[in-house]
Amino acid sequence: AVGLTLALIIFNDHEVDNAKVGSKVLFHCAGIVVLTLIINGTFTRNVIHMLGLDQMTALKKAVLRNAYKQLHDEEERMMQVLQTDRFLSDSNWELVRRYTGLDEPLPVELEEKSKDDDPFAAKGTLPLLDSTVSLRAALNTETDDIESIEEKACEDARITALKALKGSFWHQYEEGVLSNAGVRELIQLTDDAIEMDSKLVGREDIIKFLGVQPLAQWFHKYKLFRPAASWFIEKRLSKGIDIANAYVEAIEHVTKAVADNTLIDEQIILQLKKEKEEVSRRLQETCQEKPAIACAIKTRQAARNILNHERNQLLQILKDGIMEQVDVDVLVKNIEDQMKRLTKAPRSMPPPTPQDILEGVQWFRESGTDTQQKLRGAAALKQFAPDDTIMVMGDESNGIYLVVSGIVRIQSPTVMEYLGPGQIIGELGVLTHSKRMANAIAHTHTQMYFFAAGDIKQAAAFCEQLAAGLWRTAGIRFAVTKLAKQAKFQSWGQQKLKRYCENA
C-alpha cells in the first residue's frame, strides 16, 4: 500500500516525465501489488499448512478440548438452575439450547475410537487444567517425533505454570494482600522466566529479597547510623516478607488447583513445591532471626489487608447501588486516613507472648470466660529442641498443639510445610478420632501449648461455642483445599476462599 501510494505520487508529479518514468513506476508497483494479492493470498495458507506452522501442540489441543467440555458442562448446570427459576421456568428450552450450544472446536480425529480409549470420555466434568490424558495418548499418532513433541509440550507446560503464578500474583494484589513494590518484582521475575528456556521462578529469585546487605548491617553497629540503617533493614525485610509470602501463597494455590491429573507437567509441579518449601523455611527463619521487626511487619500487613478488603467491600456496595457515592466517599476517606496512620506504625515491636498467641486463637477467644480459664489450666507449655519429634504419622491423636515460638516442620509423603507461631496442629484428628496424618518435627528451638484430647472434649461438652469454633476452623481448612480444585474457584486466592467459607 505504501509503495503504491508513492508510485501514484510520482505519477502525478509534473516535474517527472510520465511517459518514461512515472507510468513505468506505477505499472511495476501496481503489478507487484496484484501479484502479491493473487499469489500470496491464494497459496500462503497452503504453504503454512505444508510446513506445519498452523499445527497446535498436543498440550494446546488438550487444553482446548477441556475448555470446551468445561463450558458445555457449565451450560448444562446453568440451564438446570434456570429451569427452576419462577420467571424463566416456562421458556422454550429447545431454542435456548440452539442459541447457546457451542460447536466442537476440534474435529473428532477417530470417531470409531471406543470410549474406553478416549482419554477425555471417562472424566466427566473437567476443570480447565485437569486431564487424565498422557502426552503420548494425546498425540494420537505413532509417526510423530515423540521426543520433539514432548519437549515442546514440557515447554508449554512450563509457560502455563508461570502464567498461573502470574495470575495468582495479580489476584493477591487486587485483593490488597500484596503491595505495589511486591507485585512489580514478582511480575518482572515471572516475565523474565517466561522469556528464558527451562526457567522457573525459584528459591534463588525470592530468597535474595530476605537478605540484608552486609553494608547495612555494618552501619547498624554504630549508634550514629543506627536509625537510618534500621529503617533500611526494615524496609528491605518488609518487601522481602511480602514477596516471599505472596510466592508461597501463589504456589499453594496453583498446585492445589491442578493437583489431580494436571496438564502442567508433574515434574514442574514437584519442582515448584520444592521451591515453595525452601522459601517457606527461609521466610520462617527470617522472622525468627528478626522477631521484633517481623512482628511489626506482620502487624502492618494484617491491618493493610483488612483495610483494603473493607475498601473493596465499599466499592462493591456502591456498584450494587445500595449506597450513594457521597456516603461511600465518607467511609473511603476514613479508610484512607487509617492507611496514612498505618505508615507511621512502629517499625519494631516486641513479639507476642505465649498468652497473647493463645488469646488470639479464634475458638479460644469465643469460648467464654469460664471455658478459657479451664483451657488455660489444662494447657501445658512444652519445649522442643531442633529435630525433636513432636508427633508421628499414624499415632493416635492425643491432643492439639499451638505453636507459640520457633518453627515446626510438617512432613508426610505428599506435604512438607514449615509452621510458625500461632499455627494449630492436630485439631482435625482430635475432632474425628482419626490418626495423625503427618509427622511434626521441631525445626528450631520451639515452644508449644499442648491441649490433651480429653481436656478439649470435656470443655467442648460444656461449651457449644468451643465445639463449633473447633469444627469451623477444621472445616474451613478442609473446604479451602477442596474448593481450590474446582474450576469455579481456580482464579480465587487462598484468602478469598477463606472469606467465602467464613461467610458460608
Side-chain angles (χ1 to χ4, degrees), residues 169-378:
F169 297 146
W170 277 120
H171 283 299
Q172 291 182 62
Y173 173 70
E174 290 168 354
E175 292 174 13
V177 179
L178 182 57
S179 64
N180 289 334
V183 75
R184 282 199 300 269
E185 293 285 359
L186 287 168
I187 294 300
Q188 185 62 53
L189 286 171
T190 310
D191 288 341
D192 291 344
I194 289 175
E195 295 299 322
M196 300 172 67
D197 292 334
S198 305
K199 167 71 174 166
L200 290 171
V201 180
R203 70 192 78 173
E204 68 281 356
D205 299 312
I206 305 299
I207 291 177
K208 67 181 181 183
F209 292 105
L210 294 172
V212 179
Q213 288 87 342
L215 185 61
Q217 294 178 337
W218 184 84
F219 275 113
H220 193 263
K221 296 177 182 179
Y222 298 93
K223 189 174 181 180
L224 178 63
F225 304 110
R226 191 168 297 160
S230 297
W231 176 85
F232 178 83
I233 290 171
E234 186 279 330
K235 187 175 181 181
R236 172 80 177 180
L237 286 179
S238 179
K239 181 180 177 181
I241 290 173
D242 198 34
I243 289 172
N245 261 327
Y247 178 78
V248 171
E249 170 90 6
I251 291 184
E252 283 184 351
H253 171 66
V254 170
T255 52
K256 285 177 182 177
V258 298
D260 299 325
N261 301 317
T262 175
L263 281 174
I264 296 179
D265 187 75
E266 185 178 354
Q267 292 301 317
I268 292 178
I269 294 297
L270 291 176
Q271 185 178 346
L272 285 175
K273 285 183 177 180
K274 289 180 180 178
E275 302 298 326
K276 185 209 78 172
E277 291 166 8
E278 287 301 312
V279 172
S280 178
R281 177 187 60 80
R282 187 68 189 99
L283 176 60
Q284 294 290 353
E285 290 174 350
T286 300
C287 292
Q288 190 174 37
E289 291 166 3
K290 306 281 186 182
I293 294 177
C295 182
I297 291 171
K298 291 177 182 179
T299 301
R300 288 199 307 276
Q301 287 187 348
R304 186 187 70 197
N305 292 351
I306 293 171
L307 290 171
N308 279 324
H309 178 61
E310 289 175 345
R311 182 168 56 188
N312 291 339
Q313 289 294 101
L314 279 174
L315 295 177
Q316 185 60 46
I317 289 172
L318 176 64
K319 184 178 178 180
D320 293 340
I322 299 174
M323 292 177 65
E324 297 292 336
Q325 179 73 57
V326 63
D327 299 324
V328 171
D329 288 342
V330 172
L331 295 175
V332 169
K333 176 67 165 55
N334 194 349
I335 292 173
E336 290 175 349
D337 290 341
Q338 293 290 84
M339 286 280 196
K340 292 176 182 177
R341 287 182 57 197
L342 190 60
T343 60
K344 299 178 182 179
R347 300 292 177 179
S348 176
M349 59 181 65
T353 64
Q355 194 63 37
D356 293 334
I357 291 176
L358 177 59
E359 291 176 357
V361 177
Q362 185 177 7
W363 50 262
F364 177 86
R365 190 174 60 250
E366 296 176 352
S367 61
T369 306
D370 293 340
T371 305
Q372 288 176 5
Q373 195 64 32
K374 291 179 182 178
L375 290 173
R376 285 194 188 96

Side-chain angles (χ1 to χ4, degrees), residues 3-12 16-36:
L4 187 60
T5 302
L6 294 174
L8 288 170
I9 292 173
I10 293 173
F11 181 78
N12 292 319
V16 176
D17 187 353
N18 273 342
K20 295 182 178 180
V21 179
S23 58
K24 291 181 180 179
V25 170
L26 181 60
F27 173 80
H28 286 296
C29 286
I32 291 171
V33 171
V34 171
L35 291 175
T36 299

Side-chain angles (χ1 to χ4, degrees), residues 69 114-126 132:
K69 288 180 179 293
S114 68
K115 196 168 186 178
D116 292 336
D117 293 332
D118 187 354
F120 298 99
K123 185 66 176 174
T125 301
L126 292 174
T132 57

